[in-house]
Amino acid sequence: MTAIVIDKKKYVLIPEKDFQALQKKAALKTKPEKLFTIEEARAHSKKMIRKWAAEKS
């Protein structure tokens, strides 16, 4: 790990392998987006279409 300063900002350089390991660890901590059931998706789609149509009128 190497620290460098550019324009009074401190940056840290790490090997790519370590960086990828950190990215993977961070990705595992994020929660996946909620998936709709088919019924919920249809209801949501209809709601969005009605909203769009109301804006067009």
Side-chain angles (χ1 to χ4, degrees):
M1 183 170 80
T2 307
I4 59 173
V5 178
I6 301 174
D7 295 331
K8 297 182 183 180
K9 292 182 183 178
K10 189 173 183 180
Y11 297 92
V12 179
L13 300 175
I14 60 173
E16 185 176 358
K17 189 174 184 180
D18 294 343
F19 176 72
Q20 289 174 349
L22 285 172
Q23 270 189 324
K24 185 175 183 181
K25 188 174 181 181
L28 291 173
K29 289 184 179 182
T30 61
K31 293 182 180 178
E33 291 184 22
K34 181 186 175 213
L35 295 178
F36 290 129
T37 63
I38 293 176
E39 293 80 21
E40 291 173 330
R42 285 186 180 138
H44 182 72
S45 296
K46 287 179 183 179
K47 179 182 169 186
M48 298 303 291
I49 290 168
R50 287 186 183 119
K51 181 179 174 184
W52 174 79
E55 290 174 358
K56 285 287 194 180
S57 304

